[in-house]
């Protein structure tokens, strides 16, 4: 069995009185091996965000199953889902989701504190993380005092502090300038090389071209996928652009 198994995922939204049904995901199937770096792309309304929220155990699928490292999500009690997310998943959001009332250091430690653990036990890991991410000098500052690129580095540190099984990134460069985006994408590549499994949802061809595999979602299904192989980022960029054009012009699924 693969590290992450997504089988026959379907998600149907129904209006209050059942008058209308919207099928956000109809039959999504894919698997991810441990240590893979996968990007998910598709047009607005294709189901990318719904899929991410299901993988994050925020939404429940209408049918189908998701298994991470041998644990099927449907077998986890609702009361245990918060703990599951905290212990197994690391999140990096477009808008950072940092708390302005906490220092950078306390924002990074937040998942540890919420788990009822002593942050001091992870002091050495914090030092190593912030050094790698280049934010050692801003630990005492607050989010409103630092740049967008620095905020995203803090968010990455917060995602990694618990040593999650899967990192879920939602448009992680969407709110950043070009230079900061490049820096963050390099960091994701380094994080993946260290053995972390990464799934990134993005509209950015440049961001997706840093991944090792790209899944394309169309009309609630996996329409196509591209493997990096020996391609450079530039070569992969071209293949991704061609596939997105195919998506927009109604090409056949392959």
């Amino acid at each position: 069995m693969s590290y992450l198994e997504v089988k026959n995922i379907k998600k149907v939204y129904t209006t209050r009185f059942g008058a209308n049904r919207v099928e956000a995901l109809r039959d999504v199937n894919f698997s991810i091996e441990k240590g893979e770096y996968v990007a998910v792309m598709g047009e607005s309304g294709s189901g990318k965000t719904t899929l991410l929220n299901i993988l994050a155990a925020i939404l429940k699928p209408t049918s189908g199953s998701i298994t991470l490292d041998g644990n099927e999500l449907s077998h986890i009690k609702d009361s245990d889902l918060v703990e599951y997310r905290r212990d197994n998943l690391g999140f990096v959001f477009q808008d950072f989701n940092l708390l302005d009332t906490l220092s950078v250091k306390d924002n990074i430690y937040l998942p540890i504190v919420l788990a009822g653990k002593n942050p001091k036990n992870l002091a050495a890991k914090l030092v190593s993380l912030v050094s790698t991410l280049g934010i050692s000098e801003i630990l005492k500052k607050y989010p409103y005092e630092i740049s967008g690129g620095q905020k995203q580095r803090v968010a990455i540190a917060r995602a990694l502090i618990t040593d999650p099984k899967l990192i879920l990134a939602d448009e992680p460069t969407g709110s950043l300038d070009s230079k900061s985006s490049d820096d963050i994408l390099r960091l994701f590549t380094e994080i993946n090389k260290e053995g972390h499994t990464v799934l990134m949802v993005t509209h950015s061809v440049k961001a997706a071209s840093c991944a090792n595999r790209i899944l394309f979602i169309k009309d609630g299904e996996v329409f196509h996928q591209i493997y990096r192989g020996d391609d450079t980022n530039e070569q992969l960029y071209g293949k991704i652009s061609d596939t997105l054009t195919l998506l927009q012009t109604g090409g056949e699924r392959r």
Side-chain angles (χ1 to χ4, degrees):
M1 178 181 286
S2 297
Y3 192 59
L4 175 68
E5 287 274 359
V6 177
K7 291 184 177 180
N8 309 119
I9 289 296
K10 181 177 180 180
K11 181 62 180 178
V12 178
Y13 293 100
T14 307
T15 55
R16 186 176 177 185
F17 298 107
N20 293 308
R21 288 164 54 88
V22 177
E23 196 173 46
L25 298 173
R26 62 178 61 183
D27 187 25
V28 174
N29 292 274
F30 65 90
S31 60
I32 294 177
E33 300 302 327
K34 188 172 185 179
E36 265 201 283
Y37 182 178
V38 176
V40 178
M41 301 194 79
E43 296 179 296
S44 295
S46 62
K48 300 187 310 298
T49 300
T50 298
L51 175 62
L52 187 72
N53 286 331
I54 289 174
L55 292 173
I58 294 170
L59 286 178
K60 285 189 173 183
T62 304
S63 60
S65 66
I66 294 172
T67 305
L68 176 62
D69 195 21
N71 295 313
E72 188 176 329
L73 263 63
S74 63
H75 296 164
I76 300 171
K77 295 179 182 178
D78 289 350
S79 57
D80 294 332
L81 284 175
V82 171
E83 183 179 351
Y84 168 83
R85 286 192 290 268
R86 189 174 60 225
D87 293 345
N88 294 278
L89 306 175
F91 298 95
V92 181
F93 302 96
Q94 177 177 341
D95 297 323
F96 321 123
N97 282 18
L98 302 177
L99 298 179
D100 279 337
T101 54
L102 297 180
S103 68
V104 164
K105 182 178 180 179
D106 289 340
N107 265 285
I108 296 171
Y109 272 147
L110 187 58
I112 302 301
V113 173
L114 292 175
K117 299 175 183 177
N118 189 344
K120 291 181 179 179
N121 295 333
L122 289 173
K125 183 169 184 177
L126 176 73
V127 171
S128 175
L129 261 181
V130 298
S131 175
T132 300
L133 294 170
I135 52 175
S136 301
E137 304 302 316
I138 62 169
L139 287 180
K140 293 183 180 180
K141 291 189 175 183
Y142 287 80
Y144 56 82
E145 299 178 308
I146 61 179
S147 70
Q150 289 173 321
K151 287 179 182 178
Q152 198 59 294
R153 289 168 183 258
V154 174
I156 292 171
R158 180 186 58 192
L160 292 174
I161 194 71
T162 58
D163 196 22
K165 293 179 178 178
L166 176 65
I167 296 171
L168 296 173
D170 185 11
E171 300 285 2
T173 61
S175 297
L176 303 178
D177 59 51
S178 179
K179 182 183 181 304
S180 296
S181 294
D182 289 346
D183 290 342
I184 293 301
L185 292 174
R186 278 194 294 271
L187 284 172
F188 269 103
T189 298
E190 290 174 17
I191 288 165
N192 174 246
K193 286 180 178 178
E194 290 174 359
H196 290 284
T197 308
V198 180
L199 186 144
M200 174 194 296
V201 168
T202 182
H203 282 100
S204 167
V205 177
K206 188 173 186 178
S209 65
C210 294
N212 295 321
R213 179 159 55 114
I214 301 91
L215 298 174
F216 297 89
I217 304 291
K218 180 180 180 180
D219 299 331
E221 296 181 86
V222 176
F223 173 80
H224 184 51
Q225 61 180 324
I226 296 174
Y227 287 86
R228 171 182 293 278
D230 295 325
D231 287 347
T232 63
N233 284 11
E234 290 73 21
Q235 290 169 324
L236 198 55
Y237 188 105
K239 290 183 178 180
I240 294 168
S241 298
D242 290 344
T243 302
L244 289 175
T245 299
L246 188 66
L247 279 169
Q248 293 163 359
T249 55
E252 291 298 318
R253 182 177 176 184
R254 31 179 174 142

